[in-house]
């Protein structure tokens, strides 16, 4: 038999019996694939690949095969037989071709995706961003079986109607129109001109968008205050709880997007927290992964899917990616800055990130020194050139270059340089060609500008662009595309890139675009932001941590806590990687001759300017990668301590105002909460991820030694912290997670 249908019982290669549950294109590989539910275990999945469910069955009873792997049909399904590529008649819509057969995410049961011959459809083969097949806009439609007629038969659904409750294959989902509006407002002499972009969306009963149209209308009317609602029925429904929570507080006048952030914190906080058992053995095929190029001057691609699902990710994307929410900069202040945190904590019911370090004062001169030498500034600290003699400065943080990127009306440009003495004491701050020193006019605002500029550079450049999109994302893609699941390096690297693909994809979708989180939550114009992306991506390098500390001349300085704690930690990670490789490779020659390792290295070469590979350079690189996504990630990705007090820093600087406005304060705290949802602890048992072979015991011994060494380093850090002015916990193994988070 040359044609197969969903529901057919079949025999596939390997003499395995099963039932066809899905036929159609997939995200994991091009072409038409057949999803088979096997009679007995022996498959590879449960019908889900990555985070896309194609059908449902028991674990290890699902597999996907090409048509040529189906040997015969042992029992045909009962009823009509419709197959991929068959031309059929859709009553009221004309002739079409079946492009997809299977279950969907938007409604239960079996669905047929049809490409119509005429523009009489509702979509382009996608529902709510999920691609089931491809066709031109409004040429696609999804139907139940009773809505299909054999071409030329004239038999329609009217002749075979079945009730929704009793039908195995019911009717096409009913639709309802929802109008989404966004507005731009111009006020002149009390008259407000509102330009409204209206999106007319047809939705199924399950709120799945199936087609969109846009129109623009300009009206002039008198209003008392700016429009505050999104106009999106779905989003407004979800925001109602926040509207009630902020009523009567200083947060009541926040713009709709910031309220959406607040709601996301309440809904998402805690949902992404995971433990080691959530990390399953790798599913990667060692073949190319479908991916999309990140736009806006960021030269990398993110995967369509990830092996590791993130619960609730779709909701956050819907809220924070929505282009229907108005872009509004609302600038007003707290009546009392000391009440800022308590009022915000009450609204989100305590779901903000708790700072690891309780700073007693983040506004003093001393705080600048601590931020520079054991805070987020440590990642951007540089050695002053030998021929520079002003103030006898030895170290500096350079951020004045940020001032060339334009910001929106009402805000100050970023940028400031800070200079420090040989023993780490703050000497001066330079901004816009002017030097500021202690007790000089403008000193407090200069410090606030420095802290704020550093925070923006750290969040965007070091964290989102650097660690998430450039380092972890490119590493994860190379891992997935070059190592099959049975490869020993696949098992090791799986742990340290857990969810990295999903995090990168989500970051590219909700943080990076125009009107995205970084555009709204910083003061940059979009052009300024895009230019900042480009420079930030180019600044990211992979270099051995100890060598960087040595180049700074800080390897023996007790006031530089990252060096004191980081170098011993990096050495522990290096030994772990080296010992693990020695378990599976007898000598360097066998290691360096491994084709998968070679291709992995070649793929990463252009991203990180890597040289030729040998075992030593490979171990250095993997150890540095692990250090980046664990320790450096904690240093720059957990910025809660800088968000507590609105007088510490802001993502939007105002002229001569050393304090965050209400909207900026809330946005910073919400971003902190949403970007620090917990991954499994570094100090966990990952035995279940390792290869279950004759070398398992040796690999387990390496893992146990790694754990014990991390435990010892944590104790050493605790001892050092007992004598420090300010504790430094960013490199404490007890605080570290195995991979990047969002």
């Amino acid at each position: 038999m040359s044609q197969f249908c969903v529901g057919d019982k079949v025999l596939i290669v390997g003499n395995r019996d099963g039932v066809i549950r899905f036929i159609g294109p997939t995200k994991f590989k091009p072409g038409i694939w057949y999803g088979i539910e096997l009679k007995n275990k022996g498959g590879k999945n449960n019908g889900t690949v990555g985070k896309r469910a194609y059908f449902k069955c028991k674990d290890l009873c699902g597999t996907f095969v090409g048509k040529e792997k189906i040997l015969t049909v042992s029992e045909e399904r009962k009823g009509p037989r419709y197959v991929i590529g068959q031309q059929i008649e859709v009553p009221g819509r004309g002739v079409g071709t079946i492009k997809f057969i299977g279950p969907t995410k938007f409604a239960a049961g079996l669905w047929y995706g049809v490409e119509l011959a005429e523009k009489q459809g509702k979509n382009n083969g996608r529902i709510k961003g999920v691609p089931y097949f491809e066709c031109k806009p409004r040429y696609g439609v999804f139907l139940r079986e009773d809505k299909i007629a054999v071409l030329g038969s004239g038999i329609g659904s009217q002749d075979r109607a079945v009730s929704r409750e009793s039908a195995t294959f019911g009717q096409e989902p009913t639709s309802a129109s929802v109008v989404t509006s966004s507005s731009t407002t111009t006020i002149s002499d009390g008259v407000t001109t509102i330009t409204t972009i209206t999106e007319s969306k047809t939705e199924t009963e399950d709120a799945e968008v199936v087609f969109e149209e846009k129109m623009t209308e300009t009206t002039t009317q008198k209003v008392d205050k700016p429009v505050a609602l999104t106009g999106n029925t779905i989003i407004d429904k979800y925001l109602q709880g926040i509207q009630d929570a902020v009523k009567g507080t200083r947060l009541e006048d926040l713009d709709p997007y910031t309220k959406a952030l607040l709601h996301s914190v309440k809904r998402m906080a805690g949902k992404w927290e995971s433990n080691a058992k959530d990390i399953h053995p790798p599913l990667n095929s060692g073949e190319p992964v479908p991916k999309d190029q990140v736009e806006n001057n960021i030269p990398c691609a993110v995967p369509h899917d990830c092996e590791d699902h993130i619960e609730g990710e779709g909701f956050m994307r819907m809220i924070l990616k929505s282009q229907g929410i108005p872009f509004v900069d609302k600038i007003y202040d707290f009546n009392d800055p000391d009440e800022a945190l308590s009022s915000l904590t009450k609204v989100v019911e305590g779901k903000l990130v708790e700072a690891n370090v309780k700073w007693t004062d983040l506004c003093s001169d001393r705080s600048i020194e601590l931020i520079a030498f054991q805070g987020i500034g440590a990642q951007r600290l540089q050695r002053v050139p030998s021929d520079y003699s002003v103030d006898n400065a030895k170290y500096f943080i350079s951020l004045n270059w940020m001032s060339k990127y334009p910001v929106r009306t009402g805000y100050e440009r970023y940028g400031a340089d800070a200079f420090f003495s040989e023993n780490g004491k703050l000497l001066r701050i330079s901004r816009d060609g002017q030097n500021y020193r202690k007790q000089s006019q403008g000193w407090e605002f200069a410090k606030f500008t420095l802290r704020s500029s550093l925070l923006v550079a750290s969040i965007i450049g070091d964290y989102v662009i650097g660690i998430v999109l450039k380092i972890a994302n490119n590493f994860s893609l190379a891992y997935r595309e070059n190592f099959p699941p049975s490869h020993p390096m696949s098992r090791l690297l799986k742990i340290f890139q857990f969810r990295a693909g999903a995090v990168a994809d989500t970051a590219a979708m909700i943080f990076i675009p125009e009107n995205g989180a970084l555009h709204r939550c910083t003061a940059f114009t979009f052009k300024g932001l895009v230019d900042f992306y480009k420079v930030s991506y180019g600044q990211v390098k992979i270099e051995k941590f100890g060598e960087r500390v040595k180049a700074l001349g800080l390897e023996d300085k007790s006031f530089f806590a990252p060096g004191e704690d980081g170098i011993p930690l990096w050495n522990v990670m290096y030994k772990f990687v080296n010992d693990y490789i020695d378990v599976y490779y007898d000598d360097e020659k066998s290691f360096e001759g491994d084709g998968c390792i070679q291709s992995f290295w070649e793929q990463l070469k252009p991203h990180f300017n890597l040289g030729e590979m040998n075992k030593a350079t490979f171990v250095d690189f993997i150890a540095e990668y692990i250090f980046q996504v664990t320790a450096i990630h904690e240093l720059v990705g957990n910025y809660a301590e800088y968000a507590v007090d609105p007088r510490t820093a802001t993502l939007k600087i105002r002229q001569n105002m050393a304090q965050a406005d209400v909207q900026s304060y809330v946005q910073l705290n919400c971003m902190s909460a949403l970007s620090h949802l917990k991954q499994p602890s570094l100090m966990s048992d990952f035995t279940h991820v390792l290869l279950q072979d004759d070398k398992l015991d040796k690999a387990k011994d390496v893992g146990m030694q790694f754990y014990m060494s991390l435990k010892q380093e944590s104790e050493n850090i605790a001892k050092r912290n007992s004598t420090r002015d300010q504790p430094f916990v960013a490199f404490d193994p007890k605080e570290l997670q195995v991979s990047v988070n969002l």
Side-chain angles (χ1 to χ4, degrees):
M1 177 175 294
S2 61
Q3 301 293 342
F4 304 105
C5 295
V6 170
D8 283 348
K9 292 183 178 180
V10 296
L11 180 68
I12 66 173
V13 290
N15 290 322
R16 294 177 292 173
D17 292 312
V19 179
I20 299 175
R21 298 299 187 195
F22 166 88
I23 305 174
T26 66
K27 293 181 72 175
F28 58 80
K29 223 170 190 181
I32 300 298
W33 289 85
Y34 292 74
I36 310 294
E37 179 182 2
L38 298 174
K39 183 177 180 181
N40 301 308
K41 285 188 176 181
K44 297 181 179 180
N45 51 59
N46 62 354
T48 296
V49 178
K51 57 187 176 183
R52 169 78 184 277
Y54 296 94
F55 63 95
K56 291 183 179 180
C57 66
K58 295 179 181 178
D59 287 342
L60 300 180
C61 283
T63 189
F64 289 82
V65 299
K67 185 176 181 180
E68 71 281 359
K69 301 292 185 181
I70 302 177
L71 302 178
T72 186
V73 174
S74 56
E75 183 179 333
E76 293 184 7
R77 62 155 290 187
K78 296 179 181 180
R81 297 183 62 81
Y82 297 115
V83 299
I84 295 290
Q86 180 178 348
Q87 283 199 322
I88 49 94
E89 183 178 350
V90 181
R93 299 183 188 275
V95 176
T97 303
I98 297 175
K99 295 289 188 178
F100 166 88
I101 305 173
T104 67
K105 295 182 72 173
F106 59 78
L110 185 68
W111 290 86
Y112 292 78
V114 178
E115 180 180 7
L116 299 170
E118 303 290 339
K119 193 175 181 180
Q120 297 291 326
K122 295 184 175 183
N123 52 58
N124 63 352
R126 290 174 174 251
I127 300 289
K128 198 178 179 181
V130 178
Y132 297 97
F133 65 95
E134 292 185 3
C135 67
K136 296 177 182 179
R138 296 190 66 177
Y139 277 79
V141 67
F142 286 85
L143 306 168
R144 299 285 194 179
E145 187 175 281
D146 62 315
K147 292 288 185 179
I148 298 175
V150 176
L151 190 61
S153 69
I155 300 175
S157 60
Q158 295 87 347
D159 303 309
R160 298 187 280 115
V162 184
S163 72
R164 189 180 188 90
E165 292 76 18
S166 63
T168 302
F169 308 120
Q171 65 268 31
E172 181 182 8
T174 58
S175 301
S177 180
V178 175
V179 176
T180 301
S181 300
S182 61
S183 304
T184 56
T185 305
T186 305
I187 301 178
S188 177
D189 299 327
V191 176
T192 300
T193 300
I194 305 174
T195 302
T196 304
I197 301 174
T198 304
E199 297 186 33
S200 175
K201 298 184 177 180
T202 303
E203 302 182 347
T204 69
E205 293 174 347
D206 295 85
E208 300 296 333
V209 178
V210 292
F211 117 66
E212 303 181 57
E213 288 183 335
K214 292 186 178 181
M215 62 182 180
T216 302
E217 178 185 4
T218 301
T219 60
T220 300
Q221 57 179 284
K222 283 264 187 180
V223 295
D224 296 325
K225 60 180 181 180
V227 176
L229 296 177
T230 70
N232 185 311
T233 305
I234 299 173
I235 294 177
D236 284 347
K237 174 185 174 183
Y238 282 116
L239 293 185
Q240 187 57 53
I242 283 294
Q243 297 277 30
D244 297 338
V246 300
K247 192 173 183 179
T249 73
R250 290 296 285 163
L251 309 188
E252 184 175 8
D253 292 329
L254 290 171
D255 71 297
Y257 185 83
T258 307
K259 289 178 181 176
L261 284 172
L262 280 171
H263 183 69
S264 296
V265 170
K266 288 189 67 174
R267 181 181 173 107
M268 297 303 302
K271 283 196 173 183
W272 286 5
E273 293 190 10
S274 53
N275 56 51
K277 294 301 180 184
D278 293 317
I279 305 180
H280 55 70
L283 301 174
N284 46 295
S285 63
E287 297 180 0
V289 173
K291 43 192 172 287
D292 290 320
Q293 185 66 37
V294 180
E295 299 178 351
N296 304 317
N297 267 344
I298 302 175
C300 70
V302 294
H304 286 178
D305 60 7
C306 180
E307 294 181 351
D308 311 297
H309 175 65
I310 298 179
E311 181 183 355
E313 175 191 21
F315 165 82
M316 193 167 76
R317 287 188 179 203
M318 180 190 76
I319 294 293
L320 302 186
K321 183 178 178 289
S322 176
Q323 301 300 298
I325 301 180
F327 193 130
V328 181
D329 286 318
K330 284 202 170 185
I331 303 175
Y332 64 101
D333 290 300
F334 288 102
N335 295 326
D336 182 354
D338 291 325
E339 297 177 357
L341 183 62
S342 60
S343 61
L344 177 57
T345 303
K346 183 177 180 181
V347 168
V348 297
E349 300 172 354
K351 293 182 178 178
L352 297 174
V353 177
E354 185 174 351
N356 287 333
V357 176
K358 303 295 191 297
W359 292 68
T360 55
D361 180 13
L362 265 165
C363 300
S364 68
D365 298 350
R366 176 60 178 151
S367 73
I368 298 288
E369 298 163 359
L370 291 172
I371 292 171
F373 289 90
Q374 61 181 62
I376 56 175
Q379 188 69 355
R380 291 188 171 261
L381 199 63
Q382 299 179 61
R383 185 80 177 179
V384 169
S386 58
D387 59 351
Y388 186 88
S389 59
V390 179
D391 293 333
N392 201 29
K394 297 300 181 183
Y395 309 101
F396 74 111
I397 293 175
S398 174
L399 296 170
N400 254 327
W401 56 272
M402 294 175 65
S403 64
K404 66 182 178 182
Y405 302 111
V407 296
R408 300 191 295 277
T409 301
Y411 300 111
E412 281 276 287
R413 294 196 179 212
Y414 303 102
D417 294 343
F419 294 84
F420 304 88
S421 68
E422 181 69 39
N423 59 356
K425 298 300 181 183
L426 178 62
L427 299 173
R428 63 184 168 89
I429 295 173
S430 297
R431 184 169 186 266
D432 290 338
Q434 185 171 348
N435 289 323
Y436 298 89
R437 289 180 169 82
K438 298 177 183 181
Q439 285 147 12
S440 66
Q441 185 176 2
W443 176 242
E444 291 302 319
F445 183 66
K447 289 191 297 180
F448 183 78
T449 300
L450 174 70
R451 293 191 299 265
S452 299
S453 300
L454 180 57
L455 186 60
V456 170
S458 181
I459 292 173
I460 299 178
D462 300 333
Y463 174 53
V464 177
I465 300 295
I467 292 181
V468 172
L469 287 176
K470 185 168 184 178
I471 296 176
N473 174 58
N474 285 314
F475 187 96
S476 177
L477 286 171
Y479 145 81
R480 291 178 63 187
E481 295 183 338
N482 293 286
F483 292 116
S486 59
H487 197 286
M489 290 308 301
S490 179
R491 299 307 177 107
L492 174 67
L493 302 183
K494 168 69 183 190
I495 299 166
F496 300 103
Q497 63 81 54
F498 178 62
R499 287 181 174 168
V503 168
D505 185 32
T506 302
M509 185 171 291
I510 69 174
F511 280 116
I512 299 302
E514 186 173 12
N515 298 332
L518 293 179
H519 187 197
R520 293 175 187 260
C521 297
T522 67
F524 286 119
T525 64
F526 189 60
K527 183 184 184 306
L529 184 61
V530 168
D531 290 342
F532 188 77
Y533 289 157
K534 182 178 181 180
V535 171
S536 297
Y537 195 90
Q539 290 175 338
V540 179
K541 298 177 181 178
I542 288 280
E543 55 183 331
K544 291 173 64 174
F545 181 74
E547 291 181 357
R548 179 172 178 271
V549 175
K550 187 175 181 179
L552 288 170
L554 290 169
E555 68 273 20
D556 58 352
K557 303 291 186 181
S558 61
F559 62 84
F560 188 61
E564 269 200 314
D565 296 354
I567 291 176
L569 177 61
W570 192 96
N571 290 336
V572 167
M573 293 175 174
Y574 176 90
K575 185 177 188 306
F576 168 60
V577 175
N578 189 70
D579 290 351
Y580 178 87
I581 289 175
D582 284 346
V583 170
Y584 292 95
Y585 295 90
D586 295 331
D587 51 41
E588 291 189 18
K589 185 177 180 181
S590 62
F591 173 81
E592 293 168 7
D594 187 308
C596 294
I597 291 174
Q598 288 284 356
S599 60
F600 170 80
W601 187 266
E602 289 299 317
Q603 183 166 330
L604 290 174
K605 252 186 178 182
H607 294 289
F608 303 109
N609 195 29
L610 301 177
E612 294 306 309
M613 191 209 76
N614 54 47
K615 183 188 174 186
T617 58
F618 186 86
V619 174
D620 280 348
F621 178 75
I622 300 301
E624 182 61 34
Y625 168 79
I626 295 173
F627 188 78
Q628 288 285 331
V629 299
T630 57
I632 300 299
H633 175 270
E634 181 67 16
L635 177 66
V636 300
N638 185 2
Y639 44 90
E641 58 208 65
Y642 309 102
V644 172
D645 191 321
R647 292 161 294 199
T648 300
T650 181
L651 300 183
K652 303 173 187 174
I653 305 170
R654 295 175 289 165
Q655 186 174 16
N656 296 321
M657 288 291 294
Q659 176 179 314
D661 63 80
V662 176
Q663 177 175 288
S664 298
Y665 176 79
V666 173
Q667 289 174 343
L668 174 59
N669 276 275
C670 287
M671 284 184 61
S672 171
L674 292 172
S675 62
H676 204 72
L677 301 169
K678 294 289 187 180
Q679 292 273 49
S681 169
L682 179 64
M683 298 181 65
S684 300
D685 180 5
F686 301 105
T687 303
H688 64 287
V689 184
L690 301 176
L691 285 173
Q692 307 297 303
D693 59 9
D694 59 349
K695 297 184 178 180
L696 176 61
D697 288 341
K698 289 184 178 180
K700 286 169 63 176
D701 288 343
V702 171
M704 178 55 69
Q705 183 59 50
F706 182 53
Y707 174 84
M708 295 304 297
S709 297
L710 292 174
K711 186 172 182 292
Q712 182 61 57
E713 284 308 314
S714 181
E715 293 171 359
N716 294 342
I717 289 171
K719 290 178 183 178
R720 288 192 286 268
N721 278 334
S722 67
T723 63
R724 288 169 174 162
D725 290 347
Q726 180 86 8
F728 178 71
V729 300
F731 291 174
D732 186 342
K734 290 194 302 185
E735 303 294 336
L736 303 185
Q737 304 161 50
V738 295
S739 183
V740 297
N741 55 28
L742 182 65

